[in-house]
């Protein structure tokens, strides 16, 4: 009996020491004390990468302690020891960079040729085989009403030709209204969108021979970071095809892209001829923002936000459809998956995946959410 009791005590203690605790870190501006959104927080012990939400907050699960590394383009990087972090109540303060470098970059090289070199080098750097653990989230709106929601924790295996294999660890997918909107659902194709990020396909319009006739290129120094340049490409008034506005932040020394943003302005959309046939789609909004991470040795996708809205022409009434898709990478690894072919997710969107919930994975995603989005996600709890 004493031996059994001793074994119980040993196993109990092992379980206590092995259990993980949940921690939250807040990142703030040291001068204004305001939260810093979209800062990158890496837990050095686990190599988990998180991004702060609008409260400057990330949440993660950890056994024991770990130093953390915090960075944001407009602030000085900071690595903080665990002991100092605990003494500070899990608040990290970053110093704002004081540079004021918003000057036109003088270069003898054509901006388009420079971009071609940067894109080619970025493709080469990101093109090695690797694996990303990604939290993905998607909102669907019909006629300005949130109608469907899905999110999941997934793994993308990148092959050397930049194609991807997708495995879904956990996911949930729910309708938010009583009306069946399944016929209107138009989710993003997860494999296609990730492959487009790694191939930088979104920048193809700027690399074509006709780009000079369609866009006005300018390059400036980054206002807060001397290591980066900002290239802008704006459609010319005489442009026939171009409607997108591009902003590309890149490292001119390493020749890699750090971030790009693509938007369509209302003024540009006004120039597009409206389609009137049944089933035609007329775009009303388009937004893409993609961030990449260079950690000193490896280069990979960090996060993305895409939003598209369009009116669908029908006999009864015109429907407005809006879809917002977001990725955040929480883990990078050069090891390949071990999986069976039957485990591979081959559908386009998590709309088509049966719910699989093992943990509250969404609580530790470290993902940015607006107050409106938080309310929507919170409303799902009764369905879990």
């Amino acid at each position: 009996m004493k031996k059994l009791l001793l074994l119980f005590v040993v196993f109990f203690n092992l379980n206590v020491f092995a259990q993980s605790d949940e921690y939250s870190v807040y990142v703030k501006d040291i001068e204004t004390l305001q939260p810093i959104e979209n800062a990158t927080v890496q837990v050095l012990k686990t190599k988990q990468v998180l991004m702060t939400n609008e409260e400057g907050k990330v949440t993660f699960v950890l056994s024991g302690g770990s130093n953390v590394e915090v960075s944001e383009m407009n602030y000085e990087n900071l690595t903080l020891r665990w002991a100092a972090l605990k003494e500070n109540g899990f608040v990290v303060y970053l110093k704002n960079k004081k540079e004021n470098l918003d000057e036109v970059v003088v270069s003898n090289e054509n901006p388009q040729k420079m971009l071609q070199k940067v894109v080619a080098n970025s493709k080469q750097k990101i093109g090695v085989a690797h694996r990303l653990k990604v939290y993905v989230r998607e909102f669907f709106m019909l006629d300005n009403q949130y109608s469907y929601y899905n999110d999941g924790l997934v793994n993308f295996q990148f092959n050397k030709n930049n194609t991807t294999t997708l495995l879904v660890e956990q996911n949930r997918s729910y309708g938010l209204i009583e009306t069946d909107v399944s016929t209107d659902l138009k989710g993003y194709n997860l494999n296609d969108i990730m492959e487009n990020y790694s191939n930088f396909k979104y920048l193809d319009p700027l690399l074509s021979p006709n780009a000079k006739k369609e866009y006005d290129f300018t390059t400036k120094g980054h206002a807060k970071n001397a290591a980066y340049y900002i290239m802008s490409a704006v459609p010319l008034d005489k442009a026939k095809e171009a409607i997108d506005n591009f902003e590309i932040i890149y490292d001119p020394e390493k020749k890699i892209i750090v971030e790009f943003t693509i938007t369509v302005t209302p003024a540009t959309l006004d120039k597009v001829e409206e389609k009137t046939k049944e089933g035609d789609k007329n775009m009303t909004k388009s937004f893409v923002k993609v961030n990449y991470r260079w950690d000193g040795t490896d280069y990979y996708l960090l996060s993305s936000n895409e939003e598209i809205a369009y009116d669908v022409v029908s006999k009864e009434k015109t429907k407005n459809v809006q879809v917002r898709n977001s990725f955040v990478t929480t883990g990078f690894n050069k090891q390949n998956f071990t999986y069976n072919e039957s485990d591979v997710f081959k559908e386009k969107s998590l709309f088509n995946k049966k719910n699989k919930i093992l943990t509250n994975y969404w609580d530790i995603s470290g993902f940015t959410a607006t107050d409106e989005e938080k309310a929507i996600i919170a409303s799902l709890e009764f369905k879990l």
Side-chain angles (χ1 to χ4, degrees):
M1 187 68 180
K2 289 182 179 179
K3 290 181 179 180
L4 289 173
L5 181 60
L6 178 62
L7 284 173
F8 174 80
V9 171
V10 170
F11 281 121
F12 177 80
N13 287 335
L14 284 174
N15 184 59
V16 169
F17 287 117
Q19 72 181 11
S20 297
D21 294 316
E22 184 176 296
Y23 298 97
S24 294
V25 172
Y26 293 84
V27 182
K28 296 184 177 182
D29 186 301
I30 196 170
E31 295 180 356
T32 67
L33 303 183
Q34 294 300 307
I36 301 174
E37 188 176 359
N38 291 331
T40 302
V41 177
Q42 183 176 33
V43 183
L44 296 181
K45 181 179 181 180
T46 62
K47 301 299 181 183
Q48 184 179 15
V49 179
L50 304 167
M51 292 191 73
T52 56
N53 64 14
E54 63 181 4
E55 298 169 341
K57 179 182 178 181
V58 297
T59 303
F60 55 91
V61 172
L62 184 67
S63 175
S66 171
N67 298 344
V68 298
E69 182 180 83
V70 187
S71 60
E72 204 280 336
M73 192 179 302
N74 299 305
Y75 292 83
E76 296 179 7
N77 294 351
L78 180 66
T79 300
L80 204 62
R81 297 178 63 85
W82 186 253
L85 188 62
K86 292 186 71 174
E87 290 174 3
N88 204 28
F90 292 95
V91 181
V92 178
Y93 296 94
L94 298 186
K95 293 181 180 180
N96 199 316
K97 291 181 177 178
K98 299 299 183 181
E99 293 96 332
N100 186 10
L101 305 170
D102 195 12
E103 299 177 355
V104 174
V105 176
V106 178
S107 175
N108 293 326
E109 189 163 19
N110 181 290
Q112 189 190 32
K113 289 184 178 179
M114 172 56 73
L115 181 61
Q116 289 171 344
K117 291 181 180 180
V118 171
V119 170
N121 190 61
S122 298
K123 283 183 180 180
Q124 183 181 6
K125 293 291 186 184
I126 209 170
V128 298
H130 64 280
R131 174 163 51 100
L132 296 184
K133 183 184 289 290
V134 175
Y135 174 71
V136 57
R137 184 183 67 178
E138 198 162 62
F139 290 91
F140 176 84
M141 295 181 71
L142 181 62
D143 293 333
N144 296 314
Q145 182 179 14
Y146 283 100
S147 306
Y148 212 92
Y149 175 85
N150 74 70
D151 67 11
L153 192 62
V154 304
N155 288 279
F156 288 94
Q157 174 67 53
F158 286 78
N159 308 307
K160 287 186 177 181
N161 58 358
N162 274 342
T163 59
T164 57
T165 302
L166 175 59
L167 271 70
V168 179
E169 287 188 15
Q170 302 185 60
N171 69 288
R172 55 181 180 167
S173 182
Y174 295 110
L176 301 174
I177 58 177
E178 296 299 326
T179 306
D180 182 11
V181 296
S182 58
T183 57
D184 296 302
L185 289 177
K186 303 292 182 183
Y188 283 90
N189 186 313
L190 296 183
N191 275 308
D192 284 354
I193 195 174
M194 184 59 87
E195 289 173 11
N196 288 341
Y197 294 153
S198 60
N199 289 316
F200 298 90
K201 190 174 180 62
Y202 288 75
L203 304 181
D204 281 355
L206 303 182
L207 304 178
S208 71
N210 294 326
K212 292 181 182 179
K213 299 178 182 179
E214 297 286 313
Y215 294 94
D216 177 31
F217 289 86
T218 58
T219 306
K220 296 181 179 181
H222 194 285
K224 294 293 184 180
N225 196 319
Y228 298 148
Y229 287 172
I230 302 177
M231 181 180 294
S232 299
V234 180
L236 296 167
D237 291 336
K238 62 180 181 180
K240 297 180 180 179
E241 301 293 336
I243 61 171
D244 294 315
N245 290 269
F246 293 83
E247 183 179 271
I248 303 156
I249 301 176
Y250 68 97
D251 186 322
E253 294 295 324
K254 296 184 178 67
K255 289 185 170 55
I256 55 173
I257 293 173
V258 178
E259 174 185 302
F260 70 81
T261 305
I262 307 173
T263 57
V264 177
T265 65
T268 307
L269 286 175
D270 287 342
K271 298 179 182 179
V272 179
E273 185 178 350
E274 185 176 356
K275 301 175 184 177
T276 57
K277 293 182 180 179
E278 185 177 355
D280 283 345
K281 299 176 182 179
N282 292 297
M283 184 188 300
T284 58
K285 184 176 183 179
S286 179
F287 173 83
V288 179
K289 184 174 183 179
V290 184
N291 294 275
Y292 299 88
R293 176 176 171 83
W294 170 260
D295 65 6
T297 57
D298 298 310
Y299 178 60
Y300 56 90
L301 174 87
L302 177 60
S303 67
S304 69
N305 288 281
E306 289 207 34
E307 183 172 355
I308 189 168
Y310 51 87
D311 291 330
V312 182
V313 180
S314 64
K315 288 182 179 180
E316 298 177 357
K317 69 170 186 175
T318 297
K319 297 180 181 179
N320 181 259
V321 173
Q322 299 180 51
V323 186
R324 284 188 290 138
N325 178 283
S326 303
F327 285 178
V328 62
T329 295
T330 64
F332 171 91
N333 200 311
K334 287 187 176 178
Q335 294 181 345
N336 291 336
F337 287 130
T338 300
Y339 62 90
N340 296 319
E341 187 62 27
S342 58
D343 296 329
V344 177
F345 183 65
K346 298 180 179 179
E347 299 288 342
K348 293 181 178 181
S349 168
L350 290 180
F351 289 135
N352 304 315
K353 174 73 173 174
K354 183 179 179 181
N355 289 358
K356 180 181 179 182
I357 302 171
L358 305 176
T359 64
N360 287 10
Y361 60 88
W362 50 86
D363 286 338
I364 57 172
S365 68
F367 207 74
T368 304
T370 65
D371 290 339
E372 184 179 32
E373 291 168 347
K374 289 177 183 177
I376 294 168
I377 297 169
S379 70
L380 295 175
E381 291 183 357
F382 77 95
K383 296 186 177 183
L384 301 183

